[in-house]
Amino acid sequence: MAKNCSSPILTGGSSNNHSENVLSTSLSRDVNTTVNGGGLQEDTMTMPSSSSSYISNDGDTSIIIISNLSKNSPKIFHVDLLYKSLVFLQGLSSATPIYIAIDGLVEPTDTYWAGKHHFPPNNIENRMKLDSYIRNLRLHFINETRVRILPFLHWQMHNNLINKALEFVQTKYVYILQHDEVFIRPINHTAMVQALEKHTSQIRKIEFGRLPNKSCWDHFWFRGQCSCNVTIVDSTAFTKTSGWSDQCHFTTKEYYLEVLKYIGTGEGKKMHPEAPMNRLAHRSCDIWGSHLYGDVNDTFSIIHSDERLQKHNKNSLNYTDIIEKAHQEHLSAQQYI
């Protein structure tokens, strides 16, 4: 069902074969694959009640983590913390395949990306760091059967990186996650699947906001004629926006192939999908406007795991400790399954 907010609103209109290789007490193993070519209130921070909220029979979802060389490389802090925060995805199978797609380095002569946008240039120092970063990830996930490391030899940019990672995805649903964004509150994965199933043409992409959901009407990126209609599925709310962002999101493989067809891929087409898609969403928000997870009054669902994390930390909460605690509780509960 749907309910209206106080702001003006216009509404509009495969099976997974990885599970047989998964160890029942672990989360995944690396496959060495190389490919060419508003503050959070403390009382809202509830942990998953038990591991059963995390384990389900859902076998139709995959996860793509977009990664690249960062100033913290070759340390793998970002990916490790994101991985541990996946325990907040309640109803997601512990056998869900994870593809960590690692982009290559930009040629130093590319003044637009390497210069203006500060993407790491291809030099000896960065090649050594990237090599160590990939090695560290492989060693870290060596006993994890569902994780596949996908390092790309040449620089792809987000649209091409996602496009090539999707070639490995054999499931209907997919999370597209940024390696430096982590979940910090419980997310009802089962309700999101039901939302996409029951509202096929209305709810097509669910984003996890870095800002409180009121951004649907007060942020230039999301506000517009389709904001802020709220749909309830399985007691879980989803807030409509008139925008489209690269922040962590959940959708279908079919939907993302539509996106990539629209924005284009290939050597001559390198971009963040959110720029052209946000313009399209504002023109056709009933079709392309994303939904935010939660009610219009809900807080943010993810935060950056770098130094920007502190900018969100208005309640002096240690999000790293919160994630670590939830992860350890999940692992402890698994011992009794």
Side-chain angles (χ1 to χ4, degrees):
M1 65 179 179
K3 62 180 181 179
N4 291 335
C5 305
S6 57
S7 58
I9 298 164
L10 291 177
T11 59
S14 70
S15 65
N16 177 7
N17 60 5
H18 293 274
S19 58
E20 62 186 7
N21 296 320
V22 177
L23 299 177
S24 61
T25 58
S26 70
L27 296 176
S28 45
R29 174 182 297 173
D30 164 57
V31 175
N32 295 331
T33 306
T34 300
V35 185
N36 290 303
L40 181 63
Q41 297 301 315
E42 192 162 3
D43 59 1
T44 66
M45 181 54 68
T46 55
M47 298 299 106
S49 58
S50 70
S51 64
S52 61
S53 66
Y54 181 66
I55 298 175
S56 76
N57 293 321
D58 167 47
D60 208 14
T61 299
S62 297
I63 296 172
I64 293 175
I65 298 175
I66 302 302
S67 187
N68 59 274
L69 188 72
S70 72
K71 65 181 181 180
N72 293 304
S73 303
K75 295 179 180 179
I76 61 170
F77 167 78
H78 292 308
V79 174
D80 182 50
L81 195 63
L82 169 58
Y83 182 82
K84 290 174 178 175
S85 77
L86 297 180
V87 298
F88 286 118
L89 301 179
Q90 299 181 338
L92 181 70
S93 170
S94 60
T96 298
I98 299 176
Y99 303 93
I100 304 177
I102 307 169
D103 209 347
L105 300 168
V106 182
E107 290 305 315
T109 54
D110 191 328
T111 57
Y112 181 76
W113 292 110
K116 180 179 178 179
H117 290 277
H118 308 292
F119 277 76
N122 187 354
N123 56 41
I124 294 176
E125 180 183 4
N126 283 340
R127 287 196 296 271
M128 293 178 66
K129 285 183 178 179
L130 184 58
D131 182 71
S132 295
Y133 177 62
I134 295 168
R135 177 177 178 271
N136 289 343
L137 283 172
R138 286 173 168 166
L139 290 173
H140 185 69
F141 292 111
I142 194 168
N143 294 317
E144 308 289 357
T145 54
R146 66 172 180 158
V147 171
R148 303 185 71 175
I149 311 296
L150 306 177
F152 289 80
L153 297 179
H154 304 290
W155 181 60
Q156 305 293 320
M157 197 51 196
H158 281 51
N159 60 323
N160 292 306
L161 199 63
I162 294 170
N163 185 45
K164 293 184 178 181
L166 280 172
E167 294 176 357
F168 293 85
V169 171
Q170 302 177 49
T171 59
K172 180 176 182 178
Y173 301 103
V174 61
Y175 286 88
I176 307 292
L177 308 180
Q178 306 289 336
H179 76 166
D180 60 349
E181 295 176 346
V182 297
F183 294 97
I184 46 82
R185 69 184 180 111
I187 302 294
N188 190 336
H189 168 77
T190 304
M192 291 194 298
V193 171
Q194 293 178 359
L196 267 62
E197 288 283 353
K198 294 179 180 179
H199 303 273
T200 307
S201 61
Q202 289 78 34
I203 302 179
R204 307 179 70 204
K205 173 177 177 275
I206 300 169
E207 297 184 15
F208 308 102
R210 293 189 298 263
L211 298 170
N213 285 358
K214 66 178 183 178
S215 62
C216 67
W217 68 52
D218 66 11
H219 195 283
F220 76 94
W221 198 260
F222 294 109
R223 67 192 180 202
Q225 63 177 353
C226 292
S227 306
C228 305
N229 196 43
V230 176
T231 302
I232 308 292
V233 179
D234 191 24
S235 301
T236 300
F238 303 95
T239 300
K240 179 70 173 180
T241 78
S242 300
W244 202 106
S245 169
D246 282 342
Q247 63 190 353
C248 294
H249 49 274
F250 177 74
T251 185
T252 63
K253 179 178 179 179
E254 180 182 15
Y255 170 88
Y256 233 97
L257 292 177
E258 285 185 57
V259 169
L260 294 169
K261 182 178 180 180
Y262 173 76
I263 66 176
T265 58
E267 187 62 27
K269 291 272 189 177
K270 294 186 176 183
M271 68 187 78
H272 292 289
E274 70 178 3
M277 289 308 301
N278 191 58
R279 291 191 293 268
L280 178 62
H282 277 284
R283 293 198 304 269
S284 304
C285 59
D286 56 331
I287 299 173
W288 293 104
S290 298
H291 282 74
L292 296 172
Y293 181 87
D295 188 84
V296 69
N297 296 312
D298 276 356
T299 186
F300 45 86
S301 299
I302 59 173
I303 56 172
H304 279 288
S305 56
D306 60 12
E307 73 278 357
R308 288 173 289 180
L309 180 153
Q310 299 303 321
K311 294 182 180 180
H312 290 286
N313 201 354
K314 296 183 179 180
N315 297 302
S316 300
L317 295 176
N318 189 321
Y319 294 111
T320 300
D321 287 350
I322 289 170
I323 293 169
E324 291 281 358
K325 179 181 179 182
H327 180 68
Q328 288 303 317
E329 288 179 352
H330 164 70
L331 294 180
S332 297
Q334 270 202 321
Q335 296 176 8
Y336 302 100
I337 297 175

